[in-house]
Amino acid sequence: MPELRYNRLNDTWVIISKERAKRPHDYPVNWRKEVGDIKKCPFEPGKENLTPPEVFAIRDEGTKPNTPGWKIRVIPNKFPALRPDEEFYRISEDIYDKMGGFGYHEVIIDTPDHYKHMQDFSIGELFLLLLTFRERMKQLYQNSNVYYVQIFKNHGREAGKSLYHSHSQLIALPRIPKRINTQINQCRHYYREKERCLLCDEVKYELNQQTRIVHDNNRFTVYAPFASAFPFEMKIVPKFHNHDYTKTTDEELNDLAEALWTAVKKLSMLFEDPPFNLILHTAPPVRDIPWDPNYFYNMDRLFHWYIEIFPRMAIHAGFELGTEFFINPTPPEEAARYLREKKI
């Protein structure tokens, strides 16, 4: 029989449709895999003049900015959603509010190799990418008008990827987004009731139960969430408590790279490189919140950063948009078993 499961962190419900349960072979694998023309790709080494000047890069020693020799390169998006030169303001027009288009929208070119994607990266290459996430977030948070940096990766056309060359993105916002605000409030309610961190308890429970665990190492665990909204969805969570991704150490990032490498590799092998979205959730930097002066009180105790991977194999349509109830045709327990048993 189908089940409704509550996602406490997001304050949402999911329908696990067991009676139409889908196994891996029930999902299509004819993903659109157009290989972009390398001659026209602006992300290739030697074509640095085709992009805006880099704002951050990991390079070979002795190489100059905006020249070949980079391993990872961060540039402003040529068609940004928000701009750092826009005015930071908020005004009202009767019942409507609007703000200036201030912010940052940047592209993180993951690799100089046109044909290499996340499932092909080594653990060392993933470590450098995760390090880039951390360092660029630190830099952007020096601007007091940046309230949140959202880092994400769209892999595959069905997941919203527009250029073939592997890249991630970040958007720095002048406000804390609704989903993170909801998660913080949910974690705060849980902390007030239990005097414990919600995700610390969740990880402990999943490790004890083992039914939804996909992979585990010294510092991180990968599991299919109890109330997964997407088939074969995965969550990567530190087993140690930490609310702020920018405070992770290099040693911790190395273990995170191994966990991420395993998760993406298993997913790619199980479904022949499916489209997915990867999203990093972390606590926002301390800012003045006029409507709640105590907003950041105990933030270091109640929040817990994590990464989500959403495979895009099921279409969320009118029902999901109308109700925010997601229908998942593969129980996470089954998804975890298939992923766990996939050898890499």
mmCIF file of all heavy atoms in Angstrom, residues 140-170:
data_model
loop_
_atom_site.group_PDB
_atom_site.id
_atom_site.type_symbol
_atom_site.label_atom_id
_atom_site.label_comp_id
_atom_site.label_asym_id
_atom_site.label_seq_id
_atom_site.Cartn_x
_atom_site.Cartn_y
_atom_site.Cartn_z
ATOM 1 N N LEU A 140 32.886 35.471 -0.827
ATOM 2 C CA LEU A 140 31.652 36.206 -1.065
ATOM 3 C C LEU A 140 30.994 36.669 0.227
ATOM 4 O O LEU A 140 30.350 37.721 0.264
ATOM 5 C CB LEU A 140 30.682 35.352 -1.885
ATOM 6 C CG LEU A 140 31.086 35.152 -3.351
ATOM 7 C CD1 LEU A 140 30.210 34.102 -4.014
ATOM 8 C CD2 LEU A 140 31.001 36.469 -4.118
ATOM 9 N N TYR A 141 31.152 35.900 1.290
ATOM 10 C CA TYR A 141 30.555 36.284 2.562
ATOM 11 C C TYR A 141 31.257 37.476 3.207
ATOM 12 O O TYR A 141 30.782 38.013 4.214
ATOM 13 C CB TYR A 141 30.533 35.099 3.522
ATOM 14 C CG TYR A 141 29.417 34.112 3.223
ATOM 15 C CD1 TYR A 141 29.579 32.748 3.451
ATOM 16 C CD2 TYR A 141 28.194 34.544 2.719
ATOM 17 C CE1 TYR A 141 28.561 31.841 3.179
ATOM 18 C CE2 TYR A 141 27.177 33.655 2.442
ATOM 19 C CZ TYR A 141 27.363 32.297 2.669
ATOM 20 O OH TYR A 141 26.349 31.407 2.400
ATOM 21 N N GLN A 142 32.349 37.930 2.629
ATOM 22 C CA GLN A 142 32.973 39.160 3.117
ATOM 23 C C GLN A 142 32.135 40.384 2.750
ATOM 24 O O GLN A 142 32.310 41.457 3.333
ATOM 25 C CB GLN A 142 34.387 39.289 2.545
ATOM 26 C CG GLN A 142 35.355 38.242 3.080
ATOM 27 C CD GLN A 142 36.717 38.312 2.425
ATOM 28 O OE1 GLN A 142 37.086 39.328 1.829
ATOM 29 N NE2 GLN A 142 37.501 37.246 2.528
ATOM 30 N N ASN A 143 31.238 40.226 1.787
ATOM 31 C CA ASN A 143 30.301 41.294 1.439
ATOM 32 C C ASN A 143 29.090 41.180 2.364
ATOM 33 O O ASN A 143 28.367 40.178 2.339
ATOM 34 C CB ASN A 143 29.876 41.159 -0.033
ATOM 35 C CG ASN A 143 29.017 42.316 -0.510
ATOM 36 O OD1 ASN A 143 28.163 42.823 0.208
ATOM 37 N ND2 ASN A 143 29.239 42.740 -1.752
ATOM 38 N N SER A 144 28.849 42.188 3.155
ATOM 39 C CA SER A 144 27.793 42.124 4.174
ATOM 40 C C SER A 144 26.391 42.084 3.577
ATOM 41 O O SER A 144 25.431 41.763 4.276
ATOM 42 C CB SER A 144 27.909 43.314 5.132
ATOM 43 O OG SER A 144 27.758 44.537 4.418
ATOM 44 N N ASN A 145 26.254 42.406 2.296
ATOM 45 C CA ASN A 145 24.943 42.342 1.649
ATOM 46 C C ASN A 145 24.636 40.963 1.077
ATOM 47 O O ASN A 145 23.534 40.743 0.567
ATOM 48 C CB ASN A 145 24.855 43.388 0.535
ATOM 49 C CG ASN A 145 24.753 44.806 1.073
ATOM 50 O OD1 ASN A 145 24.251 45.029 2.170
ATOM 51 N ND2 ASN A 145 25.254 45.770 0.311
ATOM 52 N N VAL A 146 25.590 40.050 1.158
ATOM 53 C CA VAL A 146 25.352 38.670 0.727
ATOM 54 C C VAL A 146 24.841 37.881 1.932
ATOM 55 O O VAL A 146 25.563 37.685 2.908
ATOM 56 C CB VAL A 146 26.632 38.022 0.161
ATOM 57 C CG1 VAL A 146 26.415 36.533 -0.085
ATOM 58 C CG2 VAL A 146 27.048 38.710 -1.134
ATOM 59 N N TYR A 147 23.603 37.427 1.852
ATOM 60 C CA TYR A 147 22.967 36.727 2.961
ATOM 61 C C TYR A 147 23.028 35.208 2.802
ATOM 62 O O TYR A 147 22.883 34.489 3.790
ATOM 63 C CB TYR A 147 21.506 37.160 3.082
ATOM 64 C CG TYR A 147 21.303 38.462 3.816
ATOM 65 C CD1 TYR A 147 21.854 39.655 3.345
ATOM 66 C CD2 TYR A 147 20.560 38.517 4.992
ATOM 67 C CE1 TYR A 147 21.676 40.853 4.013
ATOM 68 C CE2 TYR A 147 20.365 39.704 5.674
ATOM 69 C CZ TYR A 147 20.931 40.872 5.177
ATOM 70 O OH TYR A 147 20.751 42.056 5.851
ATOM 71 N N TYR A 148 23.221 34.744 1.585
ATOM 72 C CA TYR A 148 23.300 33.297 1.381
ATOM 73 C C TYR A 148 23.934 33.009 0.031
ATOM 74 O O TYR A 148 23.646 33.699 -0.956
ATOM 75 C CB TYR A 148 21.914 32.636 1.439
ATOM 76 C CG TYR A 148 21.981 31.132 1.558
ATOM 77 C CD1 TYR A 148 22.291 30.545 2.790
ATOM 78 C CD2 TYR A 148 21.788 30.309 0.468
ATOM 79 C CE1 TYR A 148 22.392 29.167 2.906
ATOM 80 C CE2 TYR A 148 21.881 28.925 0.586
ATOM 81 C CZ TYR A 148 22.181 28.363 1.809
ATOM 82 O OH TYR A 148 22.292 27.003 1.927
ATOM 83 N N VAL A 149 24.799 31.999 -0.012
ATOM 84 C CA VAL A 149 25.390 31.530 -1.261
ATOM 85 C C VAL A 149 24.865 30.125 -1.534
ATOM 86 O O VAL A 149 25.100 29.206 -0.741
ATOM 87 C CB VAL A 149 26.925 31.519 -1.202
ATOM 88 C CG1 VAL A 149 27.500 30.861 -2.456
ATOM 89 C CG2 VAL A 149 27.472 32.945 -1.064
ATOM 90 N N GLN A 150 24.138 29.970 -2.633
ATOM 91 C CA GLN A 150 23.632 28.658 -3.031
ATOM 92 C C GLN A 150 24.538 28.077 -4.100
ATOM 93 O O GLN A 150 24.694 28.650 -5.179
ATOM 94 C CB GLN A 150 22.214 28.761 -3.574
ATOM 95 C CG GLN A 150 21.606 27.428 -3.987
ATOM 96 C CD GLN A 150 21.436 26.488 -2.804
ATOM 97 O OE1 GLN A 150 20.548 26.679 -1.979
ATOM 98 N NE2 GLN A 150 22.290 25.470 -2.709
ATOM 99 N N ILE A 151 25.150 26.929 -3.787
ATOM 100 C CA ILE A 151 25.989 26.218 -4.747
ATOM 101 C C ILE A 151 25.219 25.001 -5.243
ATOM 102 O O ILE A 151 24.603 24.278 -4.458
ATOM 103 C CB ILE A 151 27.325 25.810 -4.111
ATOM 104 C CG1 ILE A 151 28.178 27.070 -3.882
ATOM 105 C CG2 ILE A 151 28.075 24.807 -4.981
ATOM 106 C CD1 ILE A 151 29.538 26.812 -3.281
ATOM 107 N N PHE A 152 25.264 24.794 -6.560
ATOM 108 C CA PHE A 152 24.523 23.678 -7.135
ATOM 109 C C PHE A 152 25.186 23.224 -8.428
ATOM 110 O O PHE A 152 25.978 23.956 -9.032
ATOM 111 C CB PHE A 152 23.064 24.078 -7.405
ATOM 112 C CG PHE A 152 22.896 25.237 -8.359
ATOM 113 C CD1 PHE A 152 22.619 25.028 -9.703
ATOM 114 C CD2 PHE A 152 23.022 26.549 -7.911
ATOM 115 C CE1 PHE A 152 22.463 26.086 -10.583
ATOM 116 C CE2 PHE A 152 22.872 27.624 -8.782
ATOM 117 C CZ PHE A 152 22.589 27.389 -10.123
ATOM 118 N N LYS A 153 24.853 22.019 -8.831
ATOM 119 C CA LYS A 153 25.341 21.461 -10.093
ATOM 120 C C LYS A 153 24.178 20.816 -10.824
ATOM 121 O O LYS A 153 23.446 20.013 -10.236
ATOM 122 C CB LYS A 153 26.432 20.421 -9.850
ATOM 123 C CG LYS A 153 26.999 19.827 -11.136
ATOM 124 C CD LYS A 153 28.138 18.859 -10.842
ATOM 125 C CE LYS A 153 28.738 18.341 -12.129
ATOM 126 N NZ LYS A 153 29.315 19.421 -12.953
ATOM 127 N N ASN A 154 23.996 21.186 -12.087
ATOM 128 C CA ASN A 154 23.017 20.553 -12.955
ATOM 129 C C ASN A 154 23.765 19.633 -13.913
ATOM 130 O O ASN A 154 24.587 20.108 -14.705
ATOM 131 C CB ASN A 154 22.232 21.597 -13.758
ATOM 132 C CG ASN A 154 21.516 22.600 -12.880
ATOM 133 O OD1 ASN A 154 21.115 22.280 -11.762
ATOM 134 N ND2 ASN A 154 21.345 23.806 -13.368
ATOM 135 N N HIS A 155 23.491 18.342 -13.816
ATOM 136 C CA HIS A 155 24.174 17.378 -14.683
ATOM 137 C C HIS A 155 23.155 16.763 -15.637
ATOM 138 O O HIS A 155 22.201 16.110 -15.199
ATOM 139 C CB HIS A 155 24.834 16.275 -13.850
ATOM 140 C CG HIS A 155 25.452 15.196 -14.697
ATOM 141 N ND1 HIS A 155 26.608 15.393 -15.420
ATOM 142 C CD2 HIS A 155 25.066 13.924 -14.942
ATOM 143 C CE1 HIS A 155 26.908 14.275 -16.080
ATOM 144 N NE2 HIS A 155 25.985 13.375 -15.805
ATOM 145 N N GLY A 156 23.339 16.991 -16.934
ATOM 146 C CA GLY A 156 22.415 16.450 -17.923
ATOM 147 C C GLY A 156 21.360 17.457 -18.324
ATOM 148 O O GLY A 156 20.959 18.312 -17.533
ATOM 149 N N ARG A 157 20.916 17.364 -19.567
ATOM 150 C CA ARG A 157 19.916 18.291 -20.093
ATOM 151 C C ARG A 157 18.641 18.285 -19.269
ATOM 152 O O ARG A 157 18.040 19.327 -18.999
ATOM 153 C CB ARG A 157 19.587 17.916 -21.541
ATOM 154 C CG ARG A 157 20.701 18.199 -22.538
ATOM 155 C CD ARG A 157 20.681 19.636 -22.980
ATOM 156 N NE ARG A 157 21.692 19.891 -23.996
ATOM 157 C CZ ARG A 157 21.853 21.071 -24.565
ATOM 158 N NH1 ARG A 157 21.093 22.082 -24.215
ATOM 159 N NH2 ARG A 157 22.789 21.257 -25.473
ATOM 160 N N GLU A 158 18.193 17.097 -18.864
ATOM 161 C CA GLU A 158 16.931 16.988 -18.112
ATOM 162 C C GLU A 158 17.027 17.650 -16.745
ATOM 163 O O GLU A 158 16.010 17.936 -16.119
ATOM 164 C CB GLU A 158 16.543 15.513 -17.960
ATOM 165 C CG GLU A 158 16.180 14.822 -19.264
ATOM 166 C CD GLU A 158 17.376 14.247 -20.011
ATOM 167 O OE1 GLU A 158 18.529 14.552 -19.630
ATOM 168 O OE2 GLU A 158 17.168 13.495 -20.975
ATOM 169 N N ALA A 159 18.249 17.890 -16.274
ATOM 170 C CA ALA A 159 18.447 18.542 -14.977
ATOM 171 C C ALA A 159 18.724 20.035 -15.116
ATOM 172 O O ALA A 159 18.994 20.704 -14.125
ATOM 173 C CB ALA A 159 19.593 17.871 -14.229
ATOM 174 N N GLY A 160 18.677 20.545 -16.358
ATOM 175 C CA GLY A 160 18.844 21.980 -16.561
ATOM 176 C C GLY A 160 20.212 22.413 -17.040
ATOM 177 O O GLY A 160 20.498 23.617 -17.099
ATOM 178 N N LYS A 161 21.065 21.461 -17.407
ATOM 179 C CA LYS A 161 22.406 21.819 -17.871
ATOM 180 C C LYS A 161 22.325 22.361 -19.290
ATOM 181 O O LYS A 161 21.697 21.760 -20.158
ATOM 182 C CB LYS A 161 23.306 20.590 -17.822
ATOM 183 C CG LYS A 161 24.761 20.860 -18.167
ATOM 184 C CD LYS A 161 25.562 19.579 -18.076
ATOM 185 C CE LYS A 161 27.018 19.807 -18.416
ATOM 186 N NZ LYS A 161 27.780 18.531 -18.410
ATOM 187 N N SER A 162 22.995 23.494 -19.545
ATOM 188 C CA SER A 162 22.905 24.130 -20.857
ATOM 189 C C SER A 162 24.157 23.912 -21.699
ATOM 190 O O SER A 162 24.066 23.852 -22.926
ATOM 191 C CB SER A 162 22.641 25.633 -20.701
ATOM 192 O OG SER A 162 23.632 26.233 -19.883
ATOM 193 N N LEU A 163 25.335 23.827 -21.091
ATOM 194 C CA LEU A 163 26.590 23.585 -21.799
ATOM 195 C C LEU A 163 27.131 22.207 -21.439
ATOM 196 O O LEU A 163 27.075 21.806 -20.274
ATOM 197 C CB LEU A 163 27.627 24.654 -21.457
ATOM 198 C CG LEU A 163 27.430 26.031 -22.099
ATOM 199 C CD1 LEU A 163 28.452 27.014 -21.544
ATOM 200 C CD2 LEU A 163 27.542 25.956 -23.614
ATOM 201 N N TYR A 164 27.678 21.508 -22.415
ATOM 202 C CA TYR A 164 28.137 20.130 -22.186
ATOM 203 C C TYR A 164 29.313 20.077 -21.213
ATOM 204 O O TYR A 164 29.368 19.201 -20.351
ATOM 205 C CB TYR A 164 28.532 19.505 -23.524
ATOM 206 C CG TYR A 164 29.070 18.089 -23.384
ATOM 207 C CD1 TYR A 164 28.199 17.014 -23.258
ATOM 208 C CD2 TYR A 164 30.437 17.842 -23.359
ATOM 209 C CE1 TYR A 164 28.680 15.716 -23.121
ATOM 210 C CE2 TYR A 164 30.928 16.551 -23.214
ATOM 211 C CZ TYR A 164 30.049 15.495 -23.100
ATOM 212 O OH TYR A 164 30.528 14.215 -22.952
ATOM 213 N N HIS A 165 30.258 20.989 -21.327
ATOM 214 C CA HIS A 165 31.457 20.982 -20.488
ATOM 215 C C HIS A 165 31.061 21.033 -19.009
ATOM 216 O O HIS A 165 30.275 21.873 -18.595
ATOM 217 C CB HIS A 165 32.323 22.190 -20.842
ATOM 218 C CG HIS A 165 33.727 22.112 -20.330
ATOM 219 N ND1 HIS A 165 34.831 22.179 -21.159
ATOM 220 C CD2 HIS A 165 34.221 21.962 -19.076
ATOM 221 C CE1 HIS A 165 35.934 22.087 -20.431
ATOM 222 N NE2 HIS A 165 35.573 21.962 -19.158
ATOM 223 N N SER A 166 31.618 20.148 -18.207
ATOM 224 C CA SER A 166 31.216 20.020 -16.802
ATOM 225 C C SER A 166 31.446 21.325 -16.036
ATOM 226 O O SER A 166 32.539 21.892 -16.045
ATOM 227 C CB SER A 166 32.010 18.890 -16.136
ATOM 228 O OG SER A 166 31.590 18.723 -14.795
ATOM 229 N N HIS A 167 30.400 21.771 -15.359
ATOM 230 C CA HIS A 167 30.502 22.988 -14.556
ATOM 231 C C HIS A 167 29.458 22.969 -13.447
ATOM 232 O O HIS A 167 28.441 22.283 -13.536
ATOM 233 C CB HIS A 167 30.321 24.235 -15.424
ATOM 234 C CG HIS A 167 28.981 24.342 -16.077
ATOM 235 N ND1 HIS A 167 28.626 23.629 -17.208
ATOM 236 C CD2 HIS A 167 27.874 25.074 -15.750
ATOM 237 C CE1 HIS A 167 27.389 23.915 -17.558
ATOM 238 N NE2 HIS A 167 26.892 24.786 -16.676
ATOM 239 N N SER A 168 29.745 23.694 -12.396
ATOM 240 C CA SER A 168 28.804 23.933 -11.305
ATOM 241 C C SER A 168 28.490 25.427 -11.301
ATOM 242 O O SER A 168 29.064 26.188 -12.080
ATOM 243 C CB SER A 168 29.406 23.500 -9.962
ATOM 244 O OG SER A 168 29.881 22.171 -10.024
ATOM 245 N N GLN A 169 27.589 25.851 -10.422
ATOM 246 C CA GLN A 169 27.242 27.266 -10.354
ATOM 247 C C GLN A 169 27.046 27.695 -8.906
ATOM 248 O O GLN A 169 26.802 26.870 -8.028
ATOM 249 C CB GLN A 169 25.946 27.548 -11.127
ATOM 250 C CG GLN A 169 26.026 27.295 -12.614
ATOM 251 C CD GLN A 169 24.750 27.681 -13.327
ATOM 252 O OE1 GLN A 169 24.380 28.850 -13.387
ATOM 253 N NE2 GLN A 169 24.061 26.686 -13.866
ATOM 254 N N LEU A 170 27.159 28.984 -8.685
ATOM 255 C CA LEU A 170 26.774 29.555 -7.395
ATOM 256 C C LEU A 170 26.019 30.845 -7.647
ATOM 257 O O LEU A 170 26.299 31.574 -8.598
ATOM 258 C CB LEU A 170 27.975 29.775 -6.481
ATOM 259 C CG LEU A 170 29.020 30.852 -6.794
ATOM 260 C CD1 LEU A 170 28.556 32.253 -6.402
ATOM 261 C CD2 LEU A 170 30.322 30.544 -6.088
#
